[in-house]
Amino acid sequence: MTSTNLKITIDVRAGSAAPYEQLRAQIADRARTGKLPAGFKLPTVRGLAEELGLAANTVAKAYRALEADGVIETRGRNGTFVAAAGEGAAREAASAAQAYADRAHRLGLTEPEALAAAAEALRARYAAQ
């Protein structure tokens, strides 16, 4: 299934990533690379769901994840737009890093132990792509 204006393709074969994850990853990648510029208006949840042959809840889940990551922003009745590049993601990453640092300190980890745990988690996450 392919979206004509966003050029998003969803692979529904067995073993493929979940459709919402494929959608989330493709929109995030296009926003990061500038193929979807800041301020680009995304289709409505229902519109994109119809275009891709997906359930509206699947598209809504992808949009919620993208908004939580700072990639897109919803402006009420005006629609959903690609957020300004980097600033939302950088804020979210800094906030997550601070929360991790606070938690690691409360758990009694030393700085090298906390860094090692974070590095291992990042290696595992990025190797899985």
Side-chain angles (χ1 to χ4, degrees), residues 100-101 103-118:
Y100 172 73
R103 176 72 185 222
H105 188 265
R106 281 193 309 274
L107 291 171
L109 296 178
T110 64
E111 184 178 342
E113 290 169 334
L115 285 170

Side-chain angles (χ1 to χ4, degrees), residues 16-69:
S16 299
Y20 92 89
E21 177 55 26
Q22 291 179 54
L23 179 58
R24 186 210 59 77
Q26 290 180 55
I27 291 175
D29 180 63
R30 283 170 177 70
R32 188 181 70 252
T33 61
K35 290 178 184 169
L36 289 177
F40 180 87
K41 185 174 183 176
L42 294 169
T44 64
V45 167
R46 284 187 183 158
L48 187 55
E50 263 183 41
E51 197 173 335
L52 292 171
L54 297 172
N57 285 340
T58 300
V59 176
K61 184 175 182 179
Y63 275 21
R64 282 191 305 271
L66 288 162
E67 190 161 24
D69 291 343

